[in-house]
Every structure is written in structure tokens, then in C-alpha cells.
Amino acid sequence: MEQHRTRPAQYGPRRSGAPLPAQGRGGAAAARPPVGRAAGRPVGRPVQPARPAPGAGSPVARLVRALRGMPNPRLTGLGSGLFCAAVMTLLGFLDGLLFGASLTVYGVLFVPVSLLTALWVRRGDLLTAPVVVPIAFAVGLVPVAESGDGLGGRLMGLVTALATEAGWLYGGTLVAGSAVIVRRIRLVRRRAAARNRPPAA
């Protein structure tokens, strides 16, 4: 009696409409990512270029970066007075040599020196900056002010220069006082935040 050979189901005839596996279609098509999806990027979300921080190129931001890059010493009350007086005396001599003892140039140079004095004095001596700045202004006026014969003539020239340049004196003192007030407010807020901060576990 003739026996028919049986063939397992997995070796049965292949259907013409069955799709081929990925290996059969070729490695390039299998490795290609789906359309609209890049490596690690969700579909439909375009890549946005990095935007610069707002105000990064403004003059105020550049000024702040320049001030942060400057040296930041901490002077005592006496040290800030000596610094301001020495710088103003030096600027007075330079003013006499280069600009013919111009009181206007001397007054303009006094304003930034006052600001630096208020910024560089240490926190415990903040209130000394508005006091030492006018004294330094008067000391630096000695080589700039017009002087007559004798001590009386020199004192008269100094008093006259102080009277005529009182605007620059008040302006520099106001700048130093404003900087001291701002630093004082920041210091008080920092101390209040430190007191209100919860202790670390």
C-alpha cells in the first residue's frame, strides 16, 4: 500500500501575498529610521536654534560684566580714605601737567573715584565712604587750585576752588552715598534671607 509523505506546516507552500521579513527586504531599508523621526527627536518638533539671553548684548549688561571683572578689594574706613585722597592728589598733579590745572577735568575724574571708593570699602565700614570722599576732594585740590603768595593765598585759592566746583563735590558725594545705600540694602536682605532659611537636615 502506497504511503503519502506528510510535510510539516512550517514547510508548507508559501503564499504569494505574504510580506517578506525585514531581513529579506534588505539591510538598508531595515536600518532606515521612520520618516519624520530623527535620532532621539520626537516627530513634528523642529529643531530651534539657541537664542541668546535677553539683554546679553545691551550696554548695561556689558557694563555689569566689566565691573564684575574688575578687582574687588575690601578696604577699611581708613584705607578707603587714604585710597581716595592719594588717587585724587595724583589726579590733581596729572591735571596740572596735562590740562593746565583744569577744575572741570578734576571734578569729572572725582566722580568715578568716589564710586570706586564706595564699592571697595568693606561692609562694616560702609558709612565712612560718604565722609572720606569730600575730604579727599579737598586734599586733591591743593595742586590744582590757584594759589597766591604765602599760606593765606593758598587757603584763599583752595576755598575759591571749593566754592566754584561745589557741584562736582556734591555729585561725587551723592554717587558714593547712593552706592553705599544700595550695598546696605542688599546686605540687609541677604541677612534676612539667611535667617529665614530652614536649617539643613
Side-chain angles (χ1 to χ4, degrees), residues 1-8:
M1 185 175 180
E2 186 178 0
Q3 296 180 356
H4 298 280
R5 293 182 179 180
T6 59
R7 192 173 187 180

Side-chain angles (χ1 to χ4, degrees), residues 29-63:
R32 185 180 303 164
V35 178
R37 180 179 296 273
R41 191 180 78 242
V43 179
R45 183 175 297 177
V47 178
Q48 296 181 356
R51 297 180 179 179
S58 62
V60 177
R62 290 195 295 267
L63 179 60

Side-chain angles (χ1 to χ4, degrees), residues 1 12 14 23 71 83 92 126 172:
M1 185 175 180
R14 182 173 308 200
Q23 292 83 358
F83 163 76
L126 282 176

Side-chain angles (χ1 to χ4, degrees), residues 31-143:
R32 185 180 303 164
V35 178
R37 180 179 296 273
R41 191 180 78 242
V43 179
R45 183 175 297 177
V47 178
Q48 296 181 356
R51 297 180 179 179
S58 62
V60 177
R62 290 195 295 267
L63 179 60
V64 171
R65 288 195 297 267
L67 289 177
R68 288 180 178 178
M70 294 180 61
N72 192 19
R74 282 293 173 256
L75 303 174
T76 62
L78 179 60
S80 63
L82 293 176
F83 163 76
C84 191
V87 172
M88 292 311 301
T89 304
L90 178 61
L91 291 178
F93 280 111
L94 291 178
D95 184 17
L97 293 175
L98 301 178
F99 302 101
S102 173
L103 295 176
T104 303
V105 174
Y106 178 82
V108 171
L109 295 175
F110 171 68
V111 177
V113 175
S114 302
L115 179 60
L116 289 179
T117 304
L119 293 178
W120 287 353
V121 66
R122 65 182 184 181
R123 299 172 183 174
D125 298 326
L126 282 176
L127 299 180
T128 61
V131 177
V132 300
V133 162
I135 300 175
F137 182 86
V139 172
L141 270 180
V142 173

Side-chain angles (χ1 to χ4, degrees), residues 7-34:
R7 192 173 187 180
Q10 61 267 26
Y11 295 100
R14 182 173 308 200
R15 298 179 182 178
S16 59
L20 292 175
Q23 292 83 358
R25 292 195 300 267
R32 185 180 303 164

Side-chain angles (χ1 to χ4, degrees), residues 137 161-171:
F137 182 86
L162 286 173
T164 55
E165 302 302 319
W168 292 112
L169 174 60
Y170 295 150

